[in-house]
Amino acid sequence: LANQAERFVWTEANFDQDVAINYVVQLDKAGNDFANPQDLGSIIGSTQLSVSVETLNGKVMAAGGEPFVQGTFEVRVKASVNEASEAMYSNVATISVTPYTTETPKLWVPGGYQAASGYGNDWAHATAPQLASEGFGNTKFEGYVYIATAQDGSIDGQGFKFSSQANWDGTNYGDDGSFSGVLSTTGDNMSAAAGYYRVEADTDALTYKLTNTTWGVIGNATPGGWDNSTPMTYDPTTKKWTVIIAMTAQTAPDNGWKFRANNGWDINLGDTTVNSTDGTLRYGGDNIGI
């Protein structure tokens, strides 16, 4: 990231006097007429500036670049002597840049259920729960959302939607009206009965799935053995499922215990590595030793 992305070189500005000139290299999206100039850096006296990969990427994104999409941007040099003097600008150069991001793509789930469910004010993106993708370019999202009171999307103020940004300015997804798991960018608010949901969405296939879950622990280390889950209790304040039980010592992977939903094996969580102690889980993972 600290490596040089580009070195910009220009000729010296002529202010008809022997003065120290401050140069600022500016960038904006092509055709924007520098209405939103991003400063790549400044230097006094010198007529060249080295810009790092990290700096260029950040400024391109700030100028409206889309991650992993090649875009055309314009660069110019602003020269000035002091705040009172009129600035001079160089000719405009055009560059092509493909920016990147290391952020995990997310969907926000604002709705009329939030206040009652411990997620701040209703329809507030800032406190709404989020669904996460496995990585940039992956359009499948997943997360868990607690809905304390039933939501009827046909009633004003109720229901929920998916948003690609932490506001309404991005792409917003609702139900296509069939309430059969089909998304629409012009759709109605989605509905759900009260419950703790595993929420899945695919913004490419335009589908979503809501699975109401209750959680427990299972295994020969637990009181119910491998036949019955020992129920856990959800706390909407801490947003955690918990249970206090006595466990017997067991060694994974043949023995131990796991988390599972709805007293069945369709959704279960186990260890990422046999007998690891880092507390990370994966679907269908190994038994957890204890």
Side-chain angles (χ1 to χ4, degrees):
L1 296 181
N3 291 342
Q4 177 179 290
E6 184 63 86
R7 180 179 296 276
F8 296 95
V9 181
W10 57 92
T11 56
E12 184 177 0
N14 183 8
F15 281 89
D16 293 326
Q17 52 184 312
D18 186 14
V19 290
I21 303 173
N22 181 54
Y23 297 101
V24 180
V25 179
Q26 297 182 323
L27 174 145
D28 200 0
K29 206 165 188 177
N32 202 34
D33 199 27
F34 287 91
N36 181 34
Q38 303 297 315
D39 293 347
L40 294 175
S42 63
I43 195 166
I44 295 176
S46 177
T47 56
Q48 57 180 287
L49 178 74
S50 175
V51 178
S52 70
V53 171
E54 183 177 21
T55 298
L56 181 61
N57 184 74
K59 298 303 183 179
V60 164
M61 292 286 285
E66 296 183 48
F68 307 111
V69 176
Q70 187 180 70
T72 303
F73 299 86
E74 294 176 334
V75 180
R76 70 181 182 184
V77 179
K78 175 184 177 181
S80 61
V81 175
N82 52 54
E83 294 182 359
S85 67
E86 184 175 351
M88 299 175 61
Y89 294 92
S90 70
N91 293 333
V92 174
T94 301
I95 61 173
S96 294
V97 183
T98 303
Y100 65 90
T101 180
T102 57
E103 294 184 7
T104 300
K106 298 181 179 67
L107 289 179
W108 283 256
V109 192
Y113 67 94
Q114 288 181 237
S117 307
Y119 298 114
N121 295 328
D122 288 345
W123 298 102
H125 284 84
T127 52
Q130 300 167 15
L131 314 181
S133 168
E134 290 184 0
F136 203 91
N138 190 322
T139 62
K140 295 182 179 180
F141 296 80
E142 181 189 335
Y144 286 85
V145 179
Y146 175 61
I147 297 177
T149 57
Q151 297 293 302
D152 184 342
S154 66
I155 298 176
D156 187 38
Q158 290 194 24
F160 54 93
K161 286 192 169 185
F162 302 142
S163 295
S164 64
Q165 298 180 188
N167 50 50
W168 296 111
D169 296 334
T171 304
N172 303 296
Y173 302 90
D175 191 276
D176 74 337
S178 67
F179 295 97
S180 59
V182 180
L183 290 173
S184 169
T185 55
T186 58
D188 303 319
N189 295 342
M190 290 172 272
S191 302
Y196 183 86
Y197 285 89
R198 180 189 183 189
V199 182
E200 301 167 85
D202 188 328
T203 56
D204 183 38
L206 291 178
T207 59
Y208 73 98
K209 182 179 180 181
L210 307 176
T211 305
N212 200 344
T213 62
T214 56
W215 286 84
V217 292
I218 186 80
N220 59 352
T222 71
W226 289 108
D227 296 322
N228 290 291
S229 300
T230 301
M232 304 176 76
T233 301
Y234 181 72
D235 185 334
T237 300
T238 62
K239 298 179 175 59
K240 294 179 180 179
W241 287 88
T242 60
V243 65
I244 298 175
I245 57 172
M247 285 192 175
T248 59
Q250 299 290 345
T251 302
D254 296 330
N255 301 287
W257 64 283
K258 301 182 82 172
F259 298 100
R260 73 174 186 173
N262 302 335
N263 205 30
W265 289 108
D266 288 346
I267 305 175
N268 71 88
L269 294 166
D271 217 336
T272 52
T273 306
V274 175
N275 292 323
S276 68
T277 58
D278 63 0
T280 56
L281 297 168
R282 64 185 169 111
Y283 287 113
D286 298 314
N287 293 337
I288 304 168
I290 188 168

